[in-house]
Amino acid sequence: MKAMDAEAGRIIRMEPRCPDVKYEDTGAGVRSEPLDAETRMKEYKRLVEQFGSTRRKRQLTAKENAVVRADAVGGAEALKDMLRSAADKAAESNMTKDEIIKQTQALRAIPPHHPEAVKPHDAYRLNELIPSDCNQALAGVAKQLQRGIDEPEYRDGAMRVKRMFPAYILDKLAHLKGMSSDVFERRMKYTALLGSLLNLYMGPMTLKIDSARAGGLTFISKRTNVPMDMLDHFLSKFYQHRTEGTNEIYDISRDSKGLLLLYILIVAVLAEDGEMSSDSFESLRECLKMASAEIVSRLRELGCICTAAKGSPAISSMKPFSVSLLPALAGPPKTLQDYFPHLKLGRRGK
């Protein structure tokens, strides 16, 4: 048997046809007009809901929630109507200025928190900072850190050379020895979460995957040393996803990176049970490569008390601070809400 060229070697499509039957073009699989954006989005959503992964579904939901629809806000006039409506509701319910300010302060762009809490770990709860379906991945990170505690040579050798975690995390491991089991376990969980957050934060603002090559997100997971389940959660929370040809691209905006920084700061304080020493503050400042004043400003947004250390250097950008979150004080306990910065109102014109 010998293969022969047909149609001068061009690719052709052959179909079985019956003799004496007239066939007409049905147009199947061909659209006479391109789909509009709304219809295309509906079809894309239907495909994702039926065949998409959990990560894809979360990304689609986040994308939809981020859209300000025209039917909700039709322009400046519609926005003014919404503000008037909110003001009318406040007037109808006889809300005072302080109550309006308190309600406004409740909508802070910070990690999940409980303003009424009087203890650090109740104010910012671990299961709200990282979902429970990441517990196994978090335990895997803690296991890596545990080996660093048990084997100082491995910690100061391979873990530093391969940059598995920032030096700030590795330096903390030696201080975890000798603690009671419950304190050790709690601090280890927060330290493991902090290590993963820092690995992501210190990486590039754009993560790119070539879909045509094997590995995908596994490649990013290995490069950042962030387990897949945790990486999946962080990407859907802080990053925006887009495609360019065969590339899948994850971008983090400056605002989202600012929120990621707030997560890092509050987890760093909780990893020390709400009391961060000036030495730890300075180590964290060096890790983040930020000025002291900027870190202090962010910490105060989270409800922390920051006190300049005695004998601080004259250069304010390098000044270390001790940090406290909901410290135990004499008298009635204060809530997290009490430590939040007050809303500053502009002066009325004379």
Side-chain angles (χ1 to χ4, degrees):
M1 183 178 291
K2 184 179 179 181
M4 299 180 64
D5 287 341
E7 289 288 326
R10 292 178 298 174
I11 296 175
I12 61 173
R13 180 174 176 231
M14 302 183 67
E15 295 180 345
R17 298 287 178 102
C18 297
D20 302 324
V21 176
K22 185 178 179 180
Y23 291 89
E24 295 181 356
D25 187 5
T26 63
V30 180
R31 296 189 185 277
S32 57
E33 296 180 0
L35 290 175
D36 59 80
E38 185 177 355
T39 305
R40 188 165 60 249
M41 187 61 187
K42 286 181 179 178
E43 292 197 0
Y44 173 69
K45 184 178 179 182
R46 177 175 56 82
L47 289 172
V48 171
E49 288 176 348
Q50 291 182 357
F51 307 108
S53 65
T54 303
R55 176 170 58 87
R56 280 279 185 260
K57 291 175 183 176
R58 282 206 301 250
Q59 288 173 345
L60 181 59
T61 302
K63 185 177 181 180
E64 287 182 328
N65 291 340
V67 174
V68 179
R69 303 188 182 280
D71 56 355
V73 180
E77 288 303 318
L79 183 57
K80 287 178 182 177
D81 289 340
M82 291 170 63
L83 293 173
R84 290 192 197 102
S85 175
D88 291 341
K89 288 180 180 177
E92 288 174 4
S93 54
N94 296 321
M95 292 177 65
T96 64
K97 184 182 76 171
D98 290 340
E99 289 172 336
I100 294 172
I101 292 174
K102 186 175 181 180
Q103 188 178 74
T104 304
Q105 289 176 332
L107 303 174
R108 294 176 181 273
I110 62 177
H113 58 287
H114 296 265
E116 75 286 353
V118 296
K119 293 183 179 181
H121 295 98
D122 292 333
Y124 295 92
R125 299 173 184 175
L126 182 63
N127 63 348
E128 294 176 355
L129 295 171
I130 188 76
S132 57
D133 54 4
C134 294
N135 284 348
Q136 187 173 354
L138 190 65
V141 178
K143 188 175 181 180
Q144 292 182 54
L145 296 178
Q146 179 68 61
R147 184 181 176 187
I149 294 173
D150 297 337
E151 303 176 28
E153 299 83 2
Y154 175 69
R155 179 188 68 221
D156 297 330
M159 292 184 81
R160 291 186 189 272
V161 172
K162 295 180 180 179
R163 297 183 179 179
M164 296 173 64
F165 297 97
Y168 172 72
I169 296 295
L170 298 178
D171 292 341
K172 288 172 65 67
L173 297 183
H175 301 294
L176 293 175
K177 271 191 171 184
M179 295 182 177
S180 62
S181 58
D182 56 335
V183 173
F184 176 84
E185 184 179 354
R186 181 175 63 247
R187 288 200 176 193
M188 181 62 84
K189 287 180 180 178
Y190 281 101
T191 304
L193 175 56
L194 179 59
S196 297
L197 289 169
L198 282 170
N199 280 345
L200 199 63
Y201 181 84
M202 297 172 72
M205 291 186 69
T206 298
L207 302 172
K208 185 183 293 186
I209 305 169
D210 187 350
S211 304
R213 298 176 62 183
L217 283 178
T218 306
F219 172 75
I220 294 180
S221 176
K222 290 180 179 179
R223 190 174 68 177
T224 60
N225 195 33
V226 178
M228 278 293 297
D229 287 345
M230 295 174 71
L231 178 64
D232 188 34
H233 169 70
F234 294 150
L235 289 179
S236 63
K237 186 169 190 63
F238 301 111
Y239 288 73
Q240 293 180 333
H241 174 260
R242 58 189 170 92
T243 56
E244 286 185 3
T246 61
N247 292 324
E248 288 192 51
I249 300 172
Y250 295 87
D251 297 305
I252 184 168
S253 66
R254 292 191 180 279
D255 288 343
S256 294
K257 192 159 188 178
L259 179 60
L260 175 57
L261 175 61
L262 291 177
Y263 269 77
I264 288 171
L265 294 177
I266 198 59
V267 173
V269 175
L270 292 170
E272 300 192 26
D273 287 341
E275 294 289 340
M276 177 183 284
S277 67
S278 57
D279 290 339
S280 291
F281 177 94
E282 176 59 17
S283 298
L284 181 60
R285 188 196 66 77
E286 289 180 359
C287 176
L288 296 173
K289 295 179 173 61
M290 293 174 62
S292 296
E294 189 175 356
I295 294 177
V296 167
S297 176
R298 300 297 182 93
L299 284 167
R300 286 172 176 162
E301 287 180 37
L302 297 164
C304 295
I305 302 171
C306 301
T307 307
K310 294 181 179 179
S312 299
I315 304 174
S316 60
S317 62
M318 300 174 60
K319 186 178 293 185
F321 287 76
S322 59
V323 182
S324 298
L325 176 65
L326 294 172
L329 301 173
K334 288 188 174 183
T335 66
L336 181 64
Q337 180 69 48
D338 296 328
Y339 288 104
F340 280 143
H342 295 295
L343 185 66
K344 295 181 180 179
L345 302 177
R347 293 182 179 179
R348 293 184 179 180
K350 294 182 179 179

